[in-house]
Amino acid sequence: MSFKLFFLSTFRGLKNTAKVEAKRDQLWADFQLYTELQQSEDLKPYQELDQYVNSEAFKKEKSETKALKFAGSPEAKLLSEFKKLESDAKLKDFYVALNSADFQKFKLLEKSDTIKEFVALRDYVGSKQFESDKAAFEALDKTEDSVSFEQSEAGRKYETFRKLSNSEDVLFWTEYPSSKMHKHYKEMVNSHKRVRYEELKKEIETEAFQSRKAFLEDTDRWEKSEASQKEKTYLAMKSEPRFQVYDKYKNTNEFSFFVNHELLLEDHFEKGELDKSKWKSISVMAERTVGKNFSKAGDLQGYTNGENILQAGSSLKLAVKREKVDSFVWNFPIGFIPVSFDYSAGMICSAESFQLKSGVLEAKIRYQPNKQLVDLFYLSDDQNNYRLNLLEAGTVCQLGLSQNNNTNGSESLGGLSAGQFYIFRMEWGQGRICWTINNHEIYSVQQNVPDSPLRINMSSIVVETPRSLPHYFEIDWVRLYKNK
């Protein structure tokens, strides 16, 4: 008995076949999706988005953008300073005066000839020259024919000045500067306060400032940002099955088997008949010699030419039946002897294209041992001198290897449940042969395999009178991989 198998089966360490198969099928489907994506033009943009969205710079930008608000921002401070200046009474008066009709009138009068004449006369009348001219005139001896002061040049200038001083324009021009509006205008026109106010006004009226203000006040600012759009694109891609597969496996080596092996043969026996491009219902030796299947001396069954190979319910069944069969027995040194057998059986082997010197063979097989029979699933050379037994179930239940019909190493299958499907697997090459059942390594040997191609063989042998027939050796599927 295999203590390893007994321990695994007893303590439920042997994985459930259905779960092992489902996991492998999913892994294979994921690998195909992963490989397809690797060749797609969509992968590079996704990788770039993945790197960007998961970068510290993006996380910082997102956090800071969401935390932003207008209150307390530099823009809010500028706007607050502007509004404070805008409400300043003197600045208000400055701009009212600047845009008033009185101010415009004052500026026009200031440039007029009337005001220029008035200013000149005012300067003269208020000057020492005028006082001197007046005093000199008054000191002259007066006669009846003498002119009056009013008729003198100084007097005429004084009279003109007096008249201009009482004119509407001059009165306005002289009184306007004493108004509150004009005083505030004069105070603000070259002030730092006015300069700063106009700087701020110019700044807050720019498109950039208004855009920034609107951005800070918008509660959906992050969702409308370019960075958020990239994140949305990334998340949409990430939700696709192909990118989920990519993310799941990109940093693992779970696809290493599929990467390092090429599927050479796979058959789920779903066609309803044997696929002759993959299988032959006659052994290579029989085909090359007598041209018909034959049995070994001591065997109680005769092999039919495919009649005992059944396919139904997506599985292959090699049937052993109680019926007369005329066939041959190989008996050294006599040769091929015609014999009539009481039992018929079936056998198949892989076609010429499916032979390997190293690789992996796996099959889902119903473990149904019968002590009067032997079900065999093995690899062998065409002379059947060297065999790697994936399964031997019957009088002896084991897996291992044999050479020239002598067992070189084997492991008992005690502990497996009869009637249940198991996935048997064998990998050979590079000086080692390893057998697993449902992904648990059961047996291995360090041994070189002869340098000759090995093909798949399946058959049943009758060694004692069977108690119940028909018997079916059932295989659900087979896969053969070659090393890349």
Side-chain angles (χ1 to χ4, degrees), residues 248-477:
K248 180 179 179 181
Y249 296 103
K250 64 182 178 182
N251 295 320
T252 73
N253 59 357
E254 291 193 50
F255 291 145
S256 59
F257 178 80
F258 300 128
V259 170
N260 296 321
H261 296 82
E262 178 184 341
L263 184 61
L264 184 64
L265 180 151
E266 181 175 28
D267 202 339
H268 288 260
F269 306 109
E270 296 172 329
K271 295 175 66 174
E273 60 182 7
L274 197 65
D275 187 340
K276 294 183 180 179
S277 68
K278 299 175 182 177
W279 308 102
K280 298 191 294 185
S281 57
I282 183 172
S283 71
V284 175
M285 188 175 292
E287 188 176 35
R288 293 176 181 175
T289 53
V290 72
K292 183 178 180 180
N293 279 320
F294 62 88
S295 303
K296 293 182 180 179
D299 292 347
L300 303 182
Q301 84 292 332
Y303 291 112
T304 60
N305 191 28
E307 290 83 355
N308 288 55
I309 300 171
L310 311 176
Q311 284 189 228
S314 299
S315 67
L316 171 74
K317 294 180 180 179
L318 301 183
V320 178
K321 302 177 184 177
R322 190 187 305 276
E323 62 180 354
K324 291 289 184 180
V325 175
D326 292 329
S327 186
F328 292 96
V329 167
W330 170 252
N331 195 326
F332 182 81
I334 300 174
F336 293 104
I337 303 172
V339 176
S340 180
F341 294 94
D342 292 328
Y343 306 102
S344 66
M347 66 87 63
I348 63 171
C349 65
S350 57
E352 300 297 331
S353 301
F354 308 109
Q355 301 180 80
L356 292 176
K357 293 182 179 181
S358 65
V360 177
L361 171 65
E362 59 183 9
K364 182 181 177 185
I365 305 171
R366 189 187 295 277
Y367 181 68
Q368 191 81 356
N370 185 317
K371 290 187 177 181
Q372 292 82 46
L373 307 170
V374 180
D375 292 327
L376 292 169
F377 195 123
Y378 60 95
L379 292 168
S380 72
D381 56 11
D382 288 345
Q383 290 72 40
N384 204 25
N385 291 324
Y386 186 88
R387 285 188 1 190
L388 296 177
N389 294 317
L390 183 68
L391 171 65
E392 180 181 344
T395 54
V396 175
C397 297
Q398 63 184 7
L399 48 76
L401 65 155
S402 61
Q403 194 164 3
N404 296 319
N405 296 321
N406 295 316
T407 300
N408 287 7
S410 64
E411 181 74 7
S412 169
L413 296 179
L416 295 184
S417 298
Q420 300 298 312
F421 274 103
Y422 294 94
I423 298 173
F424 296 86
R425 190 170 187 270
M426 177 170 57
E427 183 170 359
W428 76 102
Q430 298 182 341
R432 185 174 185 266
I433 311 168
C434 176
W435 288 262
T436 64
I437 299 176
N438 288 7
N439 289 347
H440 284 281
E441 183 175 321
I442 303 302
Y443 183 58
S444 66
V445 292
Q446 300 292 329
Q447 182 170 323
N448 288 318
V449 176
D451 188 26
S452 57
L454 305 179
R455 73 171 74 233
I456 302 171
N457 297 270
M458 293 175 253
S459 64
S460 295
I461 302 171
V462 180
V463 293
E464 295 180 18
T465 302
R467 295 175 183 174
S468 62
L469 290 176
H471 167 82
Y472 298 102
F473 182 26
E474 186 174 359
I475 299 94
D476 190 40
W477 51 257

Side-chain angles (χ1 to χ4, degrees), residues 12-20 23 422 437-440:
R12 298 183 178 180
L14 192 64
K15 296 176 182 177
N16 177 273
T17 303
K19 290 181 179 179
V20 171
K23 183 178 180 180
Y422 294 94
I437 299 176
N438 288 7
N439 289 347
H440 284 281

Side-chain angles (χ1 to χ4, degrees), residues 166-298:
N166 292 315
S167 69
E168 182 182 348
D169 285 346
V170 172
L171 285 173
F172 174 82
W173 185 82
T174 56
E175 290 173 1
Y176 179 76
S178 63
S179 68
K180 183 184 75 168
M181 287 292 187
H182 191 67
K183 286 180 180 179
H184 288 171
Y185 170 81
K186 293 291 286 184
E187 185 179 344
M188 291 290 109
V189 66
N190 293 316
S191 68
H192 170 74
K193 189 179 287 189
R194 185 192 65 79
V195 172
R196 179 61 177 160
Y197 171 79
E198 293 192 357
E199 285 177 350
L200 290 171
K201 188 173 187 297
K202 183 178 180 180
E203 173 66 19
I204 66 174
E205 288 178 350
T206 61
E207 184 179 347
F209 181 91
Q210 292 299 321
S211 176
R212 178 66 176 171
K213 179 175 179 289
F215 173 73
L216 292 172
E217 291 177 331
D218 189 353
T219 55
D220 295 328
R221 74 183 76 88
W222 168 250
E223 285 69 21
K224 294 177 181 177
S225 68
E226 182 181 354
S228 176
Q229 297 309 309
K230 288 183 178 180
E231 182 185 38
K232 288 175 183 176
T233 301
Y234 167 71
L235 292 175
M237 295 178 78
K238 188 178 180 67
S239 67
E240 294 181 33
R242 56 182 182 156
F243 291 110
Q244 290 178 345
V245 166
Y246 172 77
D247 286 336
K248 180 179 179 181
Y249 296 103
K250 64 182 178 182
N251 295 320
T252 73
N253 59 357
E254 291 193 50
F255 291 145
S256 59
F257 178 80
F258 300 128
V259 170
N260 296 321
H261 296 82
E262 178 184 341
L263 184 61
L264 184 64
L265 180 151
E266 181 175 28
D267 202 339
H268 288 260
F269 306 109
E270 296 172 329
K271 295 175 66 174
E273 60 182 7
L274 197 65
D275 187 340
K276 294 183 180 179
S277 68
K278 299 175 182 177
W279 308 102
K280 298 191 294 185
S281 57
I282 183 172
S283 71
V284 175
M285 188 175 292
E287 188 176 35
R288 293 176 181 175
T289 53
V290 72
K292 183 178 180 180
N293 279 320
F294 62 88
S295 303
K296 293 182 180 179

